[in-house]
Amino acid sequence: MEDLKKQLQQASDFIQGQTSLTPKIGIILGTGMGALIDRLDEAVAIPYARIPGFPCGGESTDRERLALGRLAQKPVLILSKRFHYYEGYTSQQISFPIRLMKQLGVQIMIVCNAAGGLNPLLKAADLMVIVDHINLLGTSPLIGPNPDWLGVRFPDMKDAYDPKLVSLAEQVALEERIPLRKGVYVAVHGPNLETPAETRFLRAIGADAVGMSTVPEVIVGVHAGLRILGFSIITNINLPDAFQSISFEEVVAVAARTEATLRYLIEKIVARIEISPSDSAD
Ligand code: HPA
């Protein structure tokens, strides 16, 4: 536990050595996204491999970076790539970037992902704001001794996705005339995609979209007291009785083609987010 404290301190010292900006909003990009980083003003981009204690699987390319800068005048931090359980990362590794955000001053986390649509009203290239989630990962990133200095042992998950931020997202989407769906995201382990029978099950238990990420980060974020807003780009539609094969290339292509709209929406939302001067943001 002392090690974690030390590692977080080292990583934040290193980042604070590169910029004087204190990020208040953290954004995690999903599959096929990435161009938001290019929208940052006064940007500093640091490859993951250079950050002490930061997970990287040795495959860290130049595009895998933590960037700090201003988006719509607000100080933000962007992670260009996330870490998944299916890649073999541990809970500790998956949690580290979120805890580092908190250590650096982030109060609000915006998480994005590519997801399969389960609700028959969804269609490919829809945007969905996440209102709740179901964790089918079979694990939690909080298993193990609790770092009490970071958060409580049994974090409440009632409003994991901040209702005020969801309302703000809906309002901004309406004003900007961007169609925005609302739904429940279920996280599965992957990396294999779901069978038609699993898809029927996921829909029956109340999920609107399925993916392999986001939930661990949200759990760690809630534990750390972050306010969270989540978006899914619906990249494919999984209907158990009319099941289509899912191609990962198609998932990436739809995400890439929809990303610009999500990027625009996020920028407009960030412009409207009020950042409180203290850590206990409201
Ligand atoms: N299932 C799981 N993860 C996904 C999907 C899917 O259909 N599409 C994009 N990520």
PDB file of all heavy atoms in Angstrom, residues 28 33-34 72-73 82 86 91 124 166 181 195 205 223 258 265 268:
ATOM      1  N   ILE A  28     -10.984   9.565 -20.853  1.00  0.00           N
ATOM      2  CA  ILE A  28     -10.387   8.310 -21.338  1.00  0.00           C
ATOM      3  C   ILE A  28     -11.019   7.988 -22.684  1.00  0.00           C
ATOM      4  O   ILE A  28     -12.246   7.857 -22.790  1.00  0.00           O
ATOM      5  CB  ILE A  28     -10.634   7.149 -20.352  1.00  0.00           C
ATOM      6  CG1 ILE A  28     -10.100   7.507 -18.960  1.00  0.00           C
ATOM      7  CG2 ILE A  28      -9.980   5.869 -20.867  1.00  0.00           C
ATOM      8  CD1 ILE A  28     -10.329   6.425 -17.910  1.00  0.00           C
ATOM      9  N   MET A  33     -10.885   6.099 -31.254  1.00  0.00           N
ATOM     10  CA  MET A  33     -10.927   7.545 -30.970  1.00  0.00           C
ATOM     11  C   MET A  33      -9.476   8.008 -30.774  1.00  0.00           C
ATOM     12  O   MET A  33      -8.593   7.211 -30.677  1.00  0.00           O
ATOM     13  CB  MET A  33     -11.745   7.806 -29.696  1.00  0.00           C
ATOM     14  CG  MET A  33     -13.124   7.174 -29.775  1.00  0.00           C
ATOM     15  SD  MET A  33     -14.019   7.158 -28.215  1.00  0.00           S
ATOM     16  CE  MET A  33     -15.122   5.774 -28.478  1.00  0.00           C
ATOM     17  N   GLY A  34      -9.246   9.251 -30.668  1.00  0.00           N
ATOM     18  CA  GLY A  34      -7.854   9.661 -30.458  1.00  0.00           C
ATOM     19  C   GLY A  34      -7.612  11.091 -30.890  1.00  0.00           C
ATOM     20  O   GLY A  34      -6.710  11.753 -30.396  1.00  0.00           O
ATOM     21  N   ALA A  72     -11.672  23.746 -24.557  1.00  0.00           N
ATOM     22  CA  ALA A  72     -12.707  24.749 -24.262  1.00  0.00           C
ATOM     23  C   ALA A  72     -12.303  25.543 -23.016  1.00  0.00           C
ATOM     24  O   ALA A  72     -13.107  25.729 -22.111  1.00  0.00           O
ATOM     25  CB  ALA A  72     -14.070  24.082 -24.077  1.00  0.00           C
ATOM     26  N   GLN A  73     -11.054  25.896 -22.939  1.00  0.00           N
ATOM     27  CA  GLN A  73     -10.458  26.708 -21.844  1.00  0.00           C
ATOM     28  C   GLN A  73     -10.260  25.937 -20.529  1.00  0.00           C
ATOM     29  O   GLN A  73      -9.658  26.464 -19.608  1.00  0.00           O
ATOM     30  CB  GLN A  73     -11.287  27.962 -21.480  1.00  0.00           C
ATOM     31  CG  GLN A  73     -12.035  28.622 -22.578  1.00  0.00           C
ATOM     32  CD  GLN A  73     -11.174  29.592 -23.341  1.00  0.00           C
ATOM     33  OE1 GLN A  73     -10.551  30.451 -22.773  1.00  0.00           O
ATOM     34  NE2 GLN A  73     -11.131  29.440 -24.642  1.00  0.00           N
ATOM     35  N   ARG A  82      -6.695   2.956 -23.073  1.00  0.00           N
ATOM     36  CA  ARG A  82      -6.973   2.379 -21.758  1.00  0.00           C
ATOM     37  C   ARG A  82      -6.383   0.979 -21.680  1.00  0.00           C
ATOM     38  O   ARG A  82      -5.838   0.467 -22.655  1.00  0.00           O
ATOM     39  CB  ARG A  82      -8.465   2.367 -21.507  1.00  0.00           C
ATOM     40  CG  ARG A  82      -9.257   1.593 -22.553  1.00  0.00           C
ATOM     41  CD  ARG A  82     -10.535   1.050 -22.004  1.00  0.00           C
ATOM     42  NE  ARG A  82     -11.341   2.034 -21.315  1.00  0.00           N
ATOM     43  CZ  ARG A  82     -12.247   2.825 -21.905  1.00  0.00           C
ATOM     44  NH1 ARG A  82     -12.403   2.768 -23.210  1.00  0.00           N
ATOM     45  NH2 ARG A  82     -12.980   3.659 -21.197  1.00  0.00           N
ATOM     46  N   TYR A  86      -8.616  -8.158 -20.514  1.00  0.00           N
ATOM     47  CA  TYR A  86      -8.330  -9.203 -21.510  1.00  0.00           C
ATOM     48  C   TYR A  86      -6.917  -9.117 -22.075  1.00  0.00           C
ATOM     49  O   TYR A  86      -6.403 -10.071 -22.658  1.00  0.00           O
ATOM     50  CB  TYR A  86      -9.387  -9.227 -22.635  1.00  0.00           C
ATOM     51  CG  TYR A  86      -9.381  -8.046 -23.580  1.00  0.00           C
ATOM     52  CD1 TYR A  86      -8.381  -7.874 -24.539  1.00  0.00           C
ATOM     53  CD2 TYR A  86     -10.400  -7.098 -23.540  1.00  0.00           C
ATOM     54  CE1 TYR A  86      -8.394  -6.792 -25.398  1.00  0.00           C
ATOM     55  CE2 TYR A  86     -10.426  -6.018 -24.390  1.00  0.00           C
ATOM     56  CZ  TYR A  86      -9.418  -5.873 -25.313  1.00  0.00           C
ATOM     57  OH  TYR A  86      -9.419  -4.794 -26.157  1.00  0.00           O
ATOM     58  N   SER A  91      -5.556  -5.678 -11.791  1.00  0.00           N
ATOM     59  CA  SER A  91      -6.419  -4.620 -11.251  1.00  0.00           C
ATOM     60  C   SER A  91      -5.589  -3.400 -10.874  1.00  0.00           C
ATOM     61  O   SER A  91      -5.997  -2.262 -11.099  1.00  0.00           O
ATOM     62  CB  SER A  91      -7.147  -5.131 -10.011  1.00  0.00           C
ATOM     63  OG  SER A  91      -8.092  -6.081 -10.382  1.00  0.00           O
ATOM     64  N   ALA A 124     -26.204   1.206 -35.501  1.00  0.00           N
ATOM     65  CA  ALA A 124     -24.759   1.461 -35.590  1.00  0.00           C
ATOM     66  C   ALA A 124     -24.514   2.951 -35.783  1.00  0.00           C
ATOM     67  O   ALA A 124     -25.274   3.619 -36.501  1.00  0.00           O
ATOM     68  CB  ALA A 124     -24.153   0.667 -36.732  1.00  0.00           C
ATOM     69  N   VAL A 166     -25.159  13.651 -16.576  1.00  0.00           N
ATOM     70  CA  VAL A 166     -25.991  13.021 -17.612  1.00  0.00           C
ATOM     71  C   VAL A 166     -26.989  14.051 -18.147  1.00  0.00           C
ATOM     72  O   VAL A 166     -27.165  14.193 -19.365  1.00  0.00           O
ATOM     73  CB  VAL A 166     -26.728  11.768 -17.059  1.00  0.00           C
ATOM     74  CG1 VAL A 166     -27.760  11.256 -18.064  1.00  0.00           C
ATOM     75  CG2 VAL A 166     -25.736  10.661 -16.715  1.00  0.00           C
ATOM     76  N   ARG A 181     -28.661   8.743 -27.298  1.00  0.00           N
ATOM     77  CA  ARG A 181     -29.441   7.722 -26.595  1.00  0.00           C
ATOM     78  C   ARG A 181     -28.961   7.654 -25.154  1.00  0.00           C
ATOM     79  O   ARG A 181     -27.896   8.187 -24.830  1.00  0.00           O
ATOM     80  CB  ARG A 181     -29.256   6.368 -27.271  1.00  0.00           C
ATOM     81  CG  ARG A 181     -29.654   6.354 -28.732  1.00  0.00           C
ATOM     82  CD  ARG A 181     -31.140   6.416 -28.826  1.00  0.00           C
ATOM     83  NE  ARG A 181     -31.614   6.204 -30.184  1.00  0.00           N
ATOM     84  CZ  ARG A 181     -32.878   5.934 -30.451  1.00  0.00           C
ATOM     85  NH1 ARG A 181     -33.766   5.838 -29.473  1.00  0.00           N
ATOM     86  NH2 ARG A 181     -33.265   5.762 -31.687  1.00  0.00           N
ATOM     87  N   THR A 195     -21.852 -14.877 -27.746  1.00  0.00           N
ATOM     88  CA  THR A 195     -22.682 -15.779 -28.553  1.00  0.00           C
ATOM     89  C   THR A 195     -24.097 -15.187 -28.622  1.00  0.00           C
ATOM     90  O   THR A 195     -24.453 -14.343 -27.796  1.00  0.00           O
ATOM     91  CB  THR A 195     -22.781 -17.179 -27.890  1.00  0.00           C
ATOM     92  OG1 THR A 195     -23.458 -17.028 -26.633  1.00  0.00           O
ATOM     93  CG2 THR A 195     -21.407 -17.791 -27.673  1.00  0.00           C
ATOM     94  N   ILE A 205     -31.147  -9.153 -18.829  1.00  0.00           N
ATOM     95  CA  ILE A 205     -30.804  -8.642 -17.489  1.00  0.00           C
ATOM     96  C   ILE A 205     -30.802  -7.114 -17.452  1.00  0.00           C
ATOM     97  O   ILE A 205     -30.470  -6.519 -16.435  1.00  0.00           O
ATOM     98  CB  ILE A 205     -29.467  -9.217 -16.954  1.00  0.00           C
ATOM     99  CG1 ILE A 205     -28.283  -8.813 -17.839  1.00  0.00           C
ATOM    100  CG2 ILE A 205     -29.557 -10.724 -16.765  1.00  0.00           C
ATOM    101  CD1 ILE A 205     -26.921  -9.138 -17.243  1.00  0.00           C
ATOM    102  N   HIS A 223     -14.702   5.062  -6.289  1.00  0.00           N
ATOM    103  CA  HIS A 223     -13.969   4.839  -5.032  1.00  0.00           C
ATOM    104  C   HIS A 223     -13.142   6.069  -4.672  1.00  0.00           C
ATOM    105  O   HIS A 223     -13.056   6.462  -3.517  1.00  0.00           O
ATOM    106  CB  HIS A 223     -13.071   3.600  -5.218  1.00  0.00           C
ATOM    107  CG  HIS A 223     -12.225   3.254  -4.041  1.00  0.00           C
ATOM    108  ND1 HIS A 223     -10.868   3.486  -4.014  1.00  0.00           N
ATOM    109  CD2 HIS A 223     -12.532   2.703  -2.845  1.00  0.00           C
ATOM    110  CE1 HIS A 223     -10.387   3.079  -2.857  1.00  0.00           C
ATOM    111  NE2 HIS A 223     -11.366   2.600  -2.125  1.00  0.00           N
ATOM    112  N   THR A 258     -17.609   7.893 -36.158  1.00  0.00           N
ATOM    113  CA  THR A 258     -18.554   8.573 -35.262  1.00  0.00           C
ATOM    114  C   THR A 258     -17.828   9.458 -34.262  1.00  0.00           C
ATOM    115  O   THR A 258     -18.420  10.313 -33.612  1.00  0.00           O
ATOM    116  CB  THR A 258     -19.396   7.515 -34.504  1.00  0.00           C
ATOM    117  OG1 THR A 258     -19.801   6.522 -35.440  1.00  0.00           O
ATOM    118  CG2 THR A 258     -20.619   8.114 -33.850  1.00  0.00           C
ATOM    119  N   LEU A 265     -19.344  16.892 -29.133  1.00  0.00           N
ATOM    120  CA  LEU A 265     -20.257  16.911 -27.988  1.00  0.00           C
ATOM    121  C   LEU A 265     -19.462  17.075 -26.684  1.00  0.00           C
ATOM    122  O   LEU A 265     -19.820  17.895 -25.826  1.00  0.00           O
ATOM    123  CB  LEU A 265     -21.072  15.607 -27.969  1.00  0.00           C
ATOM    124  CG  LEU A 265     -22.066  15.441 -26.825  1.00  0.00           C
ATOM    125  CD1 LEU A 265     -23.168  16.498 -26.887  1.00  0.00           C
ATOM    126  CD2 LEU A 265     -22.713  14.038 -26.855  1.00  0.00           C
ATOM    127  N   LYS A 268     -18.248  20.592 -26.198  1.00  0.00           N
ATOM    128  CA  LYS A 268     -19.334  21.504 -25.790  1.00  0.00           C
ATOM    129  C   LYS A 268     -19.725  21.263 -24.334  1.00  0.00           C
ATOM    130  O   LYS A 268     -20.064  22.204 -23.619  1.00  0.00           O
ATOM    131  CB  LYS A 268     -20.565  21.313 -26.688  1.00  0.00           C
ATOM    132  CG  LYS A 268     -20.331  21.682 -28.124  1.00  0.00           C
ATOM    133  CD  LYS A 268     -20.245  23.195 -28.278  1.00  0.00           C
ATOM    134  CE  LYS A 268     -19.815  23.600 -29.666  1.00  0.00           C
ATOM    135  NZ  LYS A 268     -19.377  24.978 -29.793  1.00  0.00           N
TER     136      LYS A 268
END
